[in-house]
Amino acid sequence: MKFLKKTRKTIAFLLALVMALALCACAKPMPIAAGKNTVGVKDGETLGKGATAFTVEVTDGQGTKTDFTVKTDEKTVGAALQALNIISGEKSEYGLYIKEVIGITADYDTDGTYWAFSVNGELSQKGVDQTYVKNGDIYTFTVTK
């Protein structure tokens, strides 16, 4: 009799678990917030002054793109973009951890998103503060989950 009671409880638990998993599987994923370009950078705009020019492409969590050109005399991408208040974040032992680009926040601790940084279409192996500026390069920031 004891065995039958345990078996019923186990079956009831397994059924409840299967139902919960089925509900989770059917749920729509939460969209990543689009954020707002609070810095006011316009698509196609040229910012800064300097001998070196590069393109910045920013894609928010909804896929909205903003592309602009930066002119600078700074040595690194991070220094150039921070000087223009384009990016901000936290310094760590690994370099600058970017949390905001053109006013759009991606915070892994809050919503599981982060800024992916690419150079000429390839994910960068270095952070922005360790990536040297090259004339004509394209630096991309994409909200990623």
Side-chain angles (χ1 to χ4, degrees):
M1 199 64 156
K2 226 177 193 183
F3 175 74
L4 190 58
K5 253 187 183 177
K6 279 188 177 181
T7 304
R8 283 185 188 164
K9 284 183 182 180
T10 303
I11 290 173
F13 173 76
L14 289 174
L15 283 174
L17 182 63
V18 168
M19 287 175 50
L21 291 174
L23 286 173
C24 289
C26 294
K28 290 182 182 177
M30 284 183 54
I32 301 170
K36 287 199 175 194
N37 176 352
T38 58
V39 176
V41 175
K42 293 179 180 79
D43 202 42
E45 186 174 17
T46 299
L47 305 169
K49 294 179 181 176
T52 306
F54 60 86
T55 300
V56 177
E57 297 176 346
V58 180
T59 304
D60 71 12
Q62 298 298 314
T64 304
K65 258 178 107 177
T66 304
D67 300 346
F68 53 94
T69 301
V70 172
K71 291 185 175 184
T72 188
D73 289 325
E74 295 286 348
K75 300 279 188 231
T76 66
V77 176
L81 296 178
Q82 283 181 306
L84 295 169
N85 294 316
I86 299 298
I87 62 170
S88 64
E90 299 173 356
K91 298 230 183 232
S92 75
E93 62 184 289
Y94 304 108
L96 181 65
Y97 173 57
I98 298 172
K99 287 199 168 189
E100 195 172 281
V101 179
I102 65 171
I104 302 168
T105 301
D107 186 355
Y108 191 82
D109 295 331
T110 303
D111 59 7
T113 61
Y114 62 94
W115 286 104
F117 174 59
S118 300
V119 179
N120 297 322
E122 298 285 327
L123 278 175
S124 180
Q125 299 299 311
K126 298 179 184 178
V128 291
D129 50 351
Q130 296 147 357
T131 301
Y132 290 100
V133 171
K134 284 188 185 172
N135 202 42
D137 274 0
I138 300 171
Y139 302 105
T140 306
F141 297 89
T142 306
V143 173
T144 306
K145 188 161 188 163

